[in-house]
Every structure is written in C-alpha cells, then in structure tokens.
Amino acid sequence: MNETDVVQIDEALRDATITVLGEGGFAGLTLERVAEVAGRARSTLWRHGLTRESLVQALAGELAEDFRATMYPILTSHGTGRERL
C-alpha cells in the first residue's frame, strides 16, 4: 500500500478508531486496541493491510469528503460571498 492508495474502512472500524483516538490520542492508537473495541482480531486488521496510519488516513479522507460535500454547493452557488455564507 502506498501513499496514494485510498483506504476504506467499515463503520465499526471507523467508530473504534475514533473511540481509541478519544481515549489516548495518536500515541494510544494501536491495532490491538482498535481491534478490541471493534470486536475483531488484530490479525484480521493486519491481513487487510491496515496500519494505524491507514486508519487515520481513512478518517481524514472521510472528513475531507464531508467538507467538500458541504462547502462545494455554497462556494459555487450564485450571489456574493456574504449571501452564500
């Protein structure tokens, strides 16, 4: 997996990653803890090629997509900036 690969994670892993980040920040984010919270084996995450960096990358990708989906219509609609925002 390289830097340009987009990682897709299911809702359980997304929620587990957010929970673990909330508990201990990036320093506390481990595959073992994410797997435990998600109710899966760490080896399953490893076999799918997931790393803590790829989990965070997936979350960041979701946030970026949400931001684009929210802001694009506002930025491309008619009117002044003040009217659009």
Side-chain angles (χ1 to χ4, degrees):
M1 192 173 296
N2 63 42
E3 294 175 12
T4 61
D5 289 335
V6 176
V7 177
Q8 297 290 326
I9 58 175
D10 62 38
E11 188 174 345
L13 284 177
R14 182 180 65 77
D15 292 345
T17 302
I18 291 169
T19 298
V20 174
L21 282 170
E23 291 173 353
F26 188 73
L29 182 66
T30 64
L31 287 182
E32 290 83 4
R33 183 69 183 131
V34 171
E36 179 183 330
V37 172
R40 300 189 184 163
R42 182 212 173 276
S43 58
T44 302
L45 276 60
W46 182 80
R47 279 195 307 267
H48 289 206
L50 296 175
T51 63
R52 58 190 223 146
E53 290 81 8
S54 67
L55 292 171
V56 171
Q57 178 186 13
L59 291 179
E62 288 181 19
L63 288 173
E65 182 56 38
D66 184 50
F67 179 79
R68 277 190 294 274
T70 301
M71 293 303 294
Y72 186 77
I74 294 168
L75 295 173
T76 59
S77 65
H78 297 289
T80 66
R82 173 177 271 169
E83 292 168 343
R84 289 180 290 174
L85 294 175

